[in-house]
Amino acid sequence: MKAGFIGTGSMGSILIESFIHSGALLPDQIIAGNRTISKVEELAHKYQGLQIAQSNIEVVHGSEIIFLCIKPNEYKKVIDDIQNEVLPHQIVVSITSSILLKHLQQLLPAKISKAIPSITNFVLSGVTLCMHGDRMQPEDQELLEHLFANISSPIRVSEEHTRISSDLSSCGPAFLANVIQCFIDAAVAETGISAEEATFLASEMALGTGKLLTTGGFSPSTLQRRVCVPGGITAEGIRIMNENLSGMFNKVIQATHAKYEEDLEKAELLFAAKL
């Protein structure tokens, strides 16, 4: 199988490297192109055999699965390039949440899916959100999800829940890292512990907590109950957190959804202009 990547920015490069590190794809099974060709050249230098594409059309001609790892405002140019080159048997996968399946199915004759990865895929962990278009047959869906299973846990979600699912799985690592950084900064400011030591302790804590919440059999609520002794130190800390964090994540979700709706409106205008 040959996989093509149009776009090798942050998520595009993470996908390429994750597939290679996991053994899901060999470098010579990958062809990649980018507006800044030096980014692809860096990957090709690192992974001998990876093919550099000089154009979007070259990616399409050399691939069975084509990953569109681009920003929403880049779709018009890319579709203009590949619209008459994509074939019905090919699978086109968008990783951009605000570009809907219907948008791509209207303009491309290929089988269309959407897959929202996470930075956690870089360490072969986390989930990939999968949504499939009408032309994707069961065997096509299985092929794509099997590929992602090498670097994540692929989960099918409805497109209407793209945003909240992405908040949890894709934005979540950054949100959690922000909370951990605030914890580290407070520890340094309040006690004088070094930033290096505090970062190590907090990072190892996060790793262990993740294991407890996945393979350890705990839920967030049962984990809190297990650690908190009534009237104890942890319980006092949780009391302060509940007082100060109440409603914060509601505001986070409201903000991400508002931005998503704005992006959807822009996408609708972009694709309306294409039709």
Side-chain angles (χ1 to χ4, degrees):
M1 178 178 66
K2 195 80 175 236
F5 292 81
I6 296 177
T8 58
S10 178
M11 286 313 304
S13 60
I14 283 175
L15 281 180
I16 289 172
E17 296 199 77
S18 300
F19 285 139
I20 293 174
H21 292 162
S22 69
L25 294 172
L26 298 174
D28 62 11
Q29 292 179 285
I30 296 173
I31 178 171
N34 195 76
R35 288 185 305 174
T36 306
I37 201 68
S38 60
K39 292 185 178 181
V40 189
E41 290 172 342
E42 290 175 12
L43 287 169
H45 178 73
K46 188 175 182 179
Y47 302 105
Q48 296 297 314
L50 187 150
Q51 183 180 343
I52 301 172
Q54 300 299 324
S55 68
N56 295 331
I57 292 175
E58 190 176 345
V59 173
V60 169
H61 287 173
S63 309
E64 297 170 54
I65 300 179
I66 303 153
F67 291 92
L68 303 182
C69 306
I70 54 180
K71 297 175 182 178
N73 62 3
E74 297 172 353
Y75 270 80
K76 184 179 187 302
K77 181 185 184 305
V78 169
I79 289 177
D80 283 343
D81 285 347
I82 70 174
Q83 190 170 24
N84 296 322
E85 307 296 329
V86 174
L87 299 174
H89 72 271
Q90 291 176 302
I91 297 174
V92 174
V93 184
S94 169
I95 70 166
T96 307
S97 63
S98 60
I99 302 301
L100 302 180
L101 292 170
K102 69 175 185 179
H103 292 146
L104 297 177
Q105 289 188 144
Q106 287 172 338
L107 296 170
L108 299 174
K111 303 171 183 180
I112 306 296
S113 282
K114 188 156 69 174
I116 311 299
S118 166
I119 193 172
T120 55
N121 300 162
F122 190 67
V123 289
L124 313 185
S125 186
V127 305
T128 301
L129 307 175
C130 298
M131 291 144 275
H132 302 297
D134 298 337
R135 300 181 203 129
M136 287 286 287
Q137 299 301 308
E139 59 269 24
D140 301 318
Q141 298 175 22
E142 183 178 348
L143 172 68
L144 185 60
E145 291 175 10
H146 178 73
L147 180 62
F148 277 110
N150 289 278
I151 65 171
S152 65
S153 297
I155 296 176
R156 294 186 193 182
V157 297
S158 63
E159 198 168 26
E160 65 178 310
H161 290 148
T162 300
R163 182 64 263 144
I164 188 58
S165 299
S166 298
D167 284 344
L168 292 164
S169 65
S170 299
C171 301
F175 295 156
L176 183 58
N178 181 268
V179 171
I180 292 171
Q181 186 63 58
C182 290
F183 196 3
I184 292 168
D185 292 344
V188 173
E190 295 293 332
T191 71
I193 189 175
S194 72
E196 292 76 15
E197 186 175 359
T199 299
F200 174 79
L201 292 171
S203 299
E204 287 297 311
M205 173 275 297
L207 175 63
T209 302
K211 291 181 178 179
L212 287 171
L213 294 175
T214 52
T215 59
F218 285 86
S219 68
S221 58
T222 58
L223 177 55
Q224 289 178 75
R225 289 198 297 270
R226 186 67 176 269
V227 177
C228 289
V229 176
I233 291 173
T234 305
E236 183 63 12
I238 291 292
R239 182 184 69 80
I240 296 298
M241 292 182 72
N242 286 340
E243 288 178 359
N244 289 275
L245 293 179
S246 177
M248 184 191 75
F249 281 104
N250 297 76
K251 294 177 181 178
V252 168
I253 291 170
Q254 290 163 12
T256 59
H257 277 61
K259 181 62 171 68
Y260 180 64
E261 290 299 325
E262 179 184 318
D263 290 346
L264 277 180
E265 288 181 13
K266 291 178 180 178
E268 290 286 357
L269 291 173
L270 173 68
F271 283 91
K274 284 290 300 170
L275 291 174

